[in-house]
Each structure stands twice: as structure tokens, then as C-alpha cells.
Amino acid sequence: MSATSIPFEIPAKFLLDHALGNVERYGAILKHVDTGRIVGHVQETGMLSHVLNVAQIVEPTGVASLIGVAQNAQVSRKLTALQSAVGTLQSLQMVNLASSVAGIGVTAASTAIIMKRLGVVNESLDRVEDMIGGLPVKLREMDLRKTLVNIQTSLDRLDGAGLRRDGDSVVKSAEEKLHYGFNSMLDGLSIVVIEKNADPALVNSLLAGLSLCGSAQIKALYWLNELEEAERQSRSQFEKLEKLSLMVPQDILETRISGGAEPAARIASDLSEVRARVASMPGLTKKIRSLDIHGRAYLERLEDEQESPLLLLPAEAGLQEDSPRTDRKWWALR
Amino acid sequence: MSNEPARAQVVDWWSAERARVSLELEERLPLLLIEVDKVIDEMPLKAFIRRGRFQTRQINPIVGKWIEAEYKRLSAEIDESFFADVIGPEEHKSHDGWSADELLTAGAATAFSIAPLAALPFVGGLLVSTGFLGLSATLAIIPASIVGAGLVALGLGPSIRGWARRKLRETFRARIRTNIRMRVLGEPERPEIASLKGTIFTELDGFLSKRLGELE
């Protein structure tokens, strides 16, 4: 299927339902509240990514203020389009989400934006190190910042990959490093969250780094049209995140994160969004495979979209998609 | 269809419920402590002689009743949120012809509530303080028979006697509060002691594990 024939829809027709509470978003999935049936997969586009880039919203933990954004004329015009598409409140939520650790669907962020965000994570780790007088020993041994620099260098080569004869090998190399980066960040997080008085900024940075590496890795696999592997890797990312989440439910985070309930709640919320986003990816990728869409064509379509910040890949497109709940057993009564 | 979103949602639910239970018990515990404080304020001095019995007869029933009520309240809320947030509408389909709502109405689907309250090992009795109340050595060795009137006989004036009473009461209160707190919120360093929060967490962890097993 070519990029132009991907059966995307502008999600406007679902907005009323969303406003009425008939449909809800979970990660990148939009579903009916009453039936649980999936309406479609919400997907951010290059237009949204452009808004964020112009606005210099590169704070990977999603805490960037939107005040300055609205004052920027170029961004303002884009935001108006965003508002007309998804409504004011939703647009701000979407911008926050897209600029946060989570994102929506396959990342539409360009290599430059991903690099910029990774740079912020790197600087943030630097600041935290200064602030708390050095990272925990195990983290220092992992040398996460060196890992990030390696990833950035590798990503730097990605920009012109499409024009190079060895484009595939460049992207493959980047994908491998991103995979390694995801696992390193996850290991770092696992070490930090079991310590008492863990620094929330450090946890945020690691979570942001993990999310960026994970989403960029999946994007690289899409570029290579390795969709089956993308589905497998996104499932593996989810399983790792699930394991981490089971280690640190919010009440445990509250006892471990310095500052107590408030920063712990924010981290739990970020972790939940990342988990939801990653959880959406295997299903989305499976859908794309079932529609016989080429991975690179999918990315091109997202990057080329200039009008709508979000697109919806309807569940009805192509083969009928089953409800996520129909194959589940009834909750066994005790 | 991929089951990852459903798995993510059940983890969300579990984490949020644990946080809610933890927060609500912290917030509501002072209400119980105030109630117990009143009993301790009115505790006659002679009751300090057999304070273990006083605790068993006067304080434990109040605490047990409160714990039982909280357990029922929280378990009902957890049941409700489980069906609303985790099971979802499609699974509100019939099970032998019953809808989930009907089951809930009939009380048959309340997985939590049907857990026997006897399973709460602490409902029958709190930790009973075993004698030493943390009094100063001097006061601790005063024979019980002379507490109160005996202090006068020993030549100690009314002000000392009043101070001793207050000290005795406040030490007892502190000990009881520590015990209650431990029985309600638990003590991470002493996981062997059962608590209301720990019991509910065990139930929640069981729900999570069972659900994740179903979604594999």
C-alpha cells in the first residue's frame, strides 16, 4: 500500500463522541466506553511534531510550559489548527502528551527532534549528578551519558539515510544502539527506584531516555520495514516496562522517591502513559502489517501531513478488528 | 488482538488502588485514634494495673470494629472499580445467563467481600502490650497496689501523683497508638505482623496476578 492510500481519517468525527464521553483514549487507542470496542489507533503526525519543534518544546518529561508556545505567532497558527481539530483542552493535552515521555503512536518526531530531546536528557543527568553530588555507584559504572552520546552520534547519521546507498546498514546500526540504550535506561531505572530517597529528576530523566530510545528504535524498524520485528520489539519493551511497573506501584514509589507523594504521583503517571503508549504499539503494528502497509510509507505519510496534528487509523480499515475483550475469559469468581 | 493494552490497564488499576488504599487509611486512621483516645482519657487509674485486660475489653472491640468496617468499605469499592475499570463492558456479558451488574447486585460477584472476615487475623485482638510500657525504671517497679493512693503513702505529693498519672496514661496511649498504627498500616520492617493495609494489598496483588494470568 502506498503512503497516500493509507486509510487514515481525520479524527474530527470522533470528537463529539469523545466530548460526550462515548469514546476514550488509552495510549494510542481510541475505544468505545460502552463496548470496549476499538475505534482506531490515534497517530501523531509531523505537523504536531513541527509545532513542538518550533516551540522548542523539547523537555522530555513533559513539564514544559505552554505559555510561551501560544505567544509564538507561527506556533499560534498551528495551535489554532490543532484546536479546531481536537478542541482547546484536548489540544493542550495532546501537545503535552506528544511533548512528554509518551507521545502518540509511532513517533513522528524527526531525527533532529529526537536528538534534541536526548540532549536534554543528557544535560538533565549532568545537572542531577551535580545536584546530588554524583550518581549512585552502579549508575556511574553504567555510564549512561556515554550511552546517550553514542546514540546521538548514531542518530546523527540517520538524517540522510534515505539518500545513502548504505542507508539500511546505517539505520540497522542505529536501531541496535537504540535497543541497547532502552535496556541501559531500564537497568538504570531499576537500580534507582529500589533505592531510598531516589531523586525524582533522575528518575524522570531515565524514564524520558528510555521512552525516547524505545520509540526511536521502533521507528527505525518501521523505516527498515521490519514490521514483524517492530511488533516483537514493542511487545518486549512492554513486558520490560510491565516488570518495572510491578516493582514500583505508586505507594512504593511514595516511600522511595525523595519529596514523597507529589513527585511519586507524577512519576507514576508518566510511567503509566509510557506503558500505555508502548502497549498500543504491538496492536498498531499488527494492524499496519495486516493492511500490507510498508513501514517507510507509513512514516512518510505521517511526516508529510501538514494539516492535521493527529490522524486516526480506523479499526474497520481492512480486516475487521476484534474487540480486545472478546477473547477474554469471564473473571473467575472465587 | 493484542492484549498489552488490557494488561497495561490492569497494572494502572492495581497501582492506583494500592495508592488509594494507602492514602485513605492514612487519612482515616486519626478518626479511630480520636475514638480510642477518648476511651484512654476516661480510663480509671486502677485499670492501669491490668491494662492488658482493659485493652482487650475496652479498646480492641473498637479497633476491631473499625478495621472490619474499613475492610468492608474498601473491598466493596475495590470490587466496584475492578468491574468498572478492568473487566470492562464487553465482559459484562452473561456468565450462565447473569450479567456482571446482576451478579454485583446479587452480591455473588463480590470477590473481595466474600473473603471471610476471620481471615483478618487482627480482628480478634490487637497486639497486647506485655507489661513494660516504657515507663521510667522508678515508676515501673512501683507495685501496682500503690499506684494512686500508694504514692501518697510513700510521701509523694499530689503534683507528683498527677504527673505520674499523666505519664502513665500518655505512655499507654503512645503504646496503643503504635500498635493500632501497626495493625492498620503495617510496618515495612516487620512484615510478619498482619495489617489491614497488608491484607488488602495481598488481595489486590492476587487480583492483579489472576488477571494478568488470564490475559497471557
Side-chain angles (χ1 to χ4, degrees), chain A residues 24-36:
Chain A
E24 63 182 7
R25 179 190 66 82
Y26 187 75
I29 289 173
L30 206 58
K31 63 182 182 178
H32 278 295
V33 171
D34 286 344
T35 62

Side-chain angles (χ1 to χ4, degrees), chain B residues 109-183:
Chain B
T110 50
F112 232 113
S113 310
I114 60 170
L117 287 170
L120 300 175
F122 40 84
V123 167
L126 291 171
L127 281 178
V128 176
S129 49
T130 51
F132 181 60
L133 285 171
L135 296 170
S136 70
T138 313
L139 280 175
I141 58 168
I142 294 174
S145 58
I146 63 163
V147 172
L151 290 172
V152 179
L154 285 172
L156 301 172
S159 64
I160 297 293
R161 192 175 61 195
W163 172 84
R165 276 179 180 173
R166 278 197 301 279
K167 176 81 175 168
L168 207 57
R169 199 178 297 277
E170 291 316 310
T171 308
F172 182 67
R173 191 193 313 276
R175 179 69 180 228
I176 289 290
R177 280 176 166 240
T178 303
N179 279 351
I180 291 174
R181 197 172 174 82
M182 199 180 289
R183 286 307 194 182

Side-chain angles (χ1 to χ4, degrees), chain A residues 174-327:
Chain A
E175 187 271 331
E176 198 181 322
K177 287 195 169 63
L178 289 162
H179 190 168
Y180 178 75
F182 178 90
N183 285 341
S184 298
M185 296 293 153
L186 187 77
D187 284 348
L189 261 179
S190 306
I191 289 167
V192 171
V193 294
I194 58 168
E195 291 196 346
K196 279 202 167 176
N197 293 320
D199 186 83
L202 176 59
V203 176
N204 264 333
S205 298
L206 293 171
L207 187 57
L210 171 142
S211 177
L212 284 166
C213 288
S215 58
Q217 185 199 358
I218 300 302
K219 186 176 185 178
L221 288 168
Y222 268 61
W223 195 93
L224 293 164
N225 198 35
E226 295 281 1
L227 294 181
E228 196 173 347
E229 179 61 6
E231 188 181 330
R232 197 182 73 80
Q233 282 300 333
S234 58
R235 191 160 280 132
S236 163
Q237 287 180 4
F238 173 76
E239 282 164 8
K240 288 170 185 170
L241 273 173
E242 183 182 85
K243 201 172 166 189
L244 175 73
S245 307
L246 296 181
M247 274 170 60
V248 282
Q250 191 176 328
D251 63 288
I252 300 283
L253 273 176
E254 284 172 10
T255 64
R256 304 241 173 101
I257 297 289
S258 162
E262 205 178 307
R266 275 201 307 272
I267 288 167
S269 168
D270 275 353
L271 183 57
S272 167
E273 271 297 350
V274 173
R275 204 168 52 235
R277 175 192 177 279
V278 175
S280 316
M281 290 307 296
L284 170 62
T285 310
K286 195 174 181 178
K287 181 75 189 168
I288 290 167
R289 284 176 64 208
S290 76
L291 292 170
D292 202 23
I293 298 170
H294 193 285
R296 209 175 301 174
Y298 187 83
L299 295 178
E300 279 170 13
R301 176 71 182 83
L302 302 183
E303 284 160 11
D304 292 347
E305 175 61 41
Q306 295 300 314
E307 296 304 316
S308 178
L310 298 168
L311 292 171
L312 189 86
L313 189 61
E316 295 79 24
L319 296 171
Q320 185 68 32
E321 193 163 6
D322 289 336
S323 158
R325 301 183 190 279
T326 50
D327 57 346

